[in-house]
Amino acid sequence: MKLLRREGTSKYQGRPEDTMYRPGRLLIYGTQHILTMYGGVIAPPIIIGGAAHLKPSDIALLVTAGLFISGLATLLQTLGVGPVGSRLPIVQGVSFASVSTMVSIASKDGLRPVLGSIIVAGIIGVLASTYFARIVRFFPAVVTGSIITVIGASLLPVSFSWCMGGNQSAKDFGDPSHIGLAAITLLIIVLISRLFQGAISRLSILIGMVIGTLIAVVTGHADFSAVKDAKVVALPQFLHFGSPEFQFGAIVSMTIVIFVIMTETTADILAIGEIVETEVDDKRVAAGLRADMAATTVAPLVGSFPASAFAQNVGLVALTGIKSRFAVAAGGGVLVVLGLLPVVGAVIAGIPYPVLGGAGIILFGSVTASGIRTLARVDYSGGLNLVIVSVAFAFGMIPVGMPTFWDKFPDWFSVIMDSGISSAAISAVLLNIFFNEWKWGNKPGASVFAERENRVDELGERLEDDIAASERRPRRGQSKDTVTASVDGVTAE
């Protein structure tokens, strides 16, 4: 079969994530992803480096290594190598879920035990990936919808903090000028999305952040002074912080964290599958987890930390409709370059937090909306599915609404439950098993949504409905053929 290589068409026909664009657009779309998650990548190395009492030059190396590993992990996840990599539009980055555990270890014993524990826990994660992925059968729409909704809702407070300035200890945190800058950025993105179509509309986040940053420069709310002190080129340094140190307690704690990260990554893979509208089975989840854990295992060798799928980029895919994994792979290439060119990274790091916050409101909100859309397919007659959604959402919101809720519990338990995503996933899966899988004692007529739909048939029916609706209501300036071609989220040009 002849492969289609035109822009806006699927390279391998049939899968939205295989859509290919011209190199220029791939770079632009990929850069938009990196701008969205850049702050989340550089924050953990800075926090952990401070806890380990490293000097500024060493903390800079941690940041550079984090960017470099995040880029390689993203390339591995999107492009894949054999049974490694989900081949989905997923951005990988340094996981924030592991920060509290690493800070606890680093503040007492330094950085070497942290690096050693990550290597061992990563290897355990690689070995467990195949078996861990089999839980995908316990993730019907009622479960995935609950998790996706919690992912977005739990991220929204982060964007609110960014809107207020990002640094809660700063005197000007919450200053109206910060919130005003975030509001302007948000307004620009909304107006671009409303007034423009096609490529410009899809780049609304990037354009909004660029304009917002320019406004911040003019009004004195941007600081790019770090650019002059950054090196132009800096290669990752092998074992710069010394040989890893293996401590039993640190390894146990980090292994628990790794399983939390795997739970979150599984949720993100399933979420992106729903958004892209592509088939995700246990083998594909396992491949994605292997990429996650392989990057995690290698990361400490160059001074970096556990890798994880970034939920905010799931929201960007939902918002822009750019489902191409090659666009995200281009973003991975940008991360690798930033990891080798600290001066370029310093420029991007100068984007003010309020600008990121204005964009984050839309990004994280769109993740929540995607979860709600998934939950809309669930049958709530009988009330049992309503119990699953309500309990899962409540557990997922505990760390957001009451961060100290689990502090009196054992460390291993609080590490798991302090992640709203993992606590929501665990509660939703357990309730789904109790209501849907376990048939004994079910009352007659109870709605448990027990059957796991054939997603291929479901997606096919939904696609036909979308095509029919689009043909009845073509957008201004589009022919019916163009509308039909854009149903997969890509407009043929």
Side-chain angles (χ1 to χ4, degrees):
M1 180 182 295
K2 185 177 180 180
L3 301 181
L4 299 177
R5 299 182 182 274
R6 293 181 302 158
E7 180 181 356
T9 59
S10 177
K11 185 179 180 183
Y12 298 112
Q13 285 196 55
R15 298 201 315 182
E17 66 270 28
D18 290 328
T19 301
M20 177 61 76
Y21 296 94
R22 296 190 183 98
R25 288 202 176 184
L26 288 177
L27 181 60
I28 293 174
Y29 294 150
T31 301
Q32 183 172 234
H33 272 286
I34 302 315
L35 289 174
T36 301
M37 53 84 75
Y38 191 86
V41 173
I42 66 175
I46 293 174
I47 296 171
I48 297 162
H53 309 293
L54 299 181
K55 55 186 180 181
S57 59
D58 284 337
I59 294 178
L61 289 177
L62 289 180
V63 173
T64 302
L67 293 170
F68 184 74
I69 288 295
S70 297
L72 292 181
T74 300
L75 290 171
L76 183 61
Q77 186 71 269
T78 54
L79 302 180
V81 177
V84 180
S86 65
R87 294 168 174 81
L88 286 167
I90 295 176
V91 177
Q92 298 282 137
V94 178
S95 172
F96 221 98
S98 59
V99 168
S100 60
T101 300
M102 291 190 290
V103 166
S104 177
I105 299 171
S107 59
K108 296 177 181 178
D109 304 308
L111 196 61
R112 292 173 60 194
V114 173
L115 301 178
S117 65
I118 294 172
I119 292 174
V120 176
I123 293 173
I124 294 173
V126 171
L127 297 176
S129 294
T130 300
Y131 307 99
F132 194 87
R134 293 177 182 173
I135 68 171
V136 71
R137 67 183 294 266
F138 300 117
F139 283 77
V142 67
V143 174
T144 56
S146 300
I147 294 172
I148 298 169
T149 304
V150 167
I151 289 174
S154 62
L155 285 171
L156 280 172
V158 176
S159 66
F160 300 152
S161 177
W162 288 349
C163 290
M164 298 172 72
N167 183 5
Q168 297 186 23
S169 61
K171 293 182 179 180
D172 63 347
F173 182 73
D175 189 272
S177 62
H178 293 323
I179 298 175
L181 180 58
I184 291 173
T185 303
L186 174 61
L187 179 61
I188 292 171
I189 295 172
V190 170
L191 289 176
I192 293 174
S193 300
R194 175 63 181 86
L195 300 177
F196 297 93
Q197 298 177 358
I200 295 179
S201 178
R202 292 173 182 173
L203 292 174
S204 59
I205 298 294
L206 176 59
I207 296 172
M209 291 175 67
V210 170
I211 297 176
T213 301
L214 292 176
I215 294 174
V217 171
V218 173
T219 57
H221 288 85
D223 181 12
F224 291 95
S225 59
V227 175
K228 63 181 180 180
D229 298 324
K231 295 181 179 179
V232 177
V233 178
L235 297 176
Q237 300 186 26
F238 185 75
L239 294 179
H240 171 78
F241 301 98
S243 59
E245 188 175 306
F246 303 98
Q247 296 181 0
F248 180 75
I251 292 172
V252 172
S253 298
M254 191 56 64
T255 300
I256 294 173
V257 171
I258 286 300
F259 280 105
V260 172
I261 292 174
M262 292 175 71
T263 301
E264 294 181 350
T265 298
T266 298
D268 287 335
I269 291 174
L270 294 172
I272 203 68
E274 291 285 345
I275 292 169
V276 174
E277 299 182 334
T278 192
E279 183 71 15
V280 175
D281 55 14
D282 58 343
K283 292 182 180 179
R284 201 165 193 185
V285 172
L289 292 176
R290 290 189 197 103
D292 219 16
M293 294 297 102
T296 295
T297 304
V298 174
L301 300 180
V302 293
S304 190
F305 308 114
S308 176
F310 266 43
Q312 54 261 55
N313 294 89
V314 174
L316 185 60
V317 172
L319 182 67
T320 64
I322 304 298
K323 304 176 181 180
S324 171
R325 61 189 175 100
F326 300 111
V328 175
V334 172
L335 276 177
V336 171
V337 172
L338 293 177
L340 298 175
L341 302 173
V343 66
V344 178
V347 172
I348 297 180
I351 297 176
Y353 275 109
V355 173
L356 293 173
I361 289 176
I362 293 184
L363 290 173
F364 303 154
S366 66
V367 177
T368 305
S370 296
I372 294 172
R373 183 177 62 181
T374 300
L375 289 174
R377 305 204 310 268
V378 179
D379 180 7
Y380 293 101
S381 58
L384 295 185
N385 280 327
L386 190 61
V387 173
I388 296 176
V389 175
S390 59
V391 172
F393 187 79
F395 270 82
M397 289 294 99
I398 287 176
V400 177
M402 187 60 66
T404 60
F405 191 90
W406 305 108
D407 283 1
K408 301 297 184 181
F409 287 76
D411 290 343
W412 66 268
F413 185 83
S414 61
V415 166
I416 297 174
M417 301 305 290
D418 272 340
S419 168
I421 300 173
S422 61
S423 58
I426 292 170
S427 57
V429 168
L430 291 179
L431 285 175
N432 178 62
I433 293 173
F434 183 62
F435 289 156
N436 296 355
E437 301 288 336
W438 191 19
K439 306 299 183 184
W440 182 84
N442 279 353
K443 55 186 178 181
S447 169
V448 294
F449 203 61
E451 67 278 7
R452 290 180 293 275
E453 309 95 338
N454 186 320
R455 294 181 62 196
V456 175
D457 291 343
E458 180 184 302
L459 294 178
E461 293 174 1
R462 212 183 325 158
L463 181 62
E464 291 175 359
D465 292 341
D466 288 344
I467 292 174
S470 298
E471 288 178 342
R472 288 193 299 269
R473 297 185 302 275
R475 292 185 301 179
R476 183 178 57 196
Q478 283 188 312
S479 67
K480 291 184 178 181
D481 292 340
T482 304
V483 172
T484 302
S486 68
V487 171
D488 284 335
V490 181
T491 302
E493 301 179 1

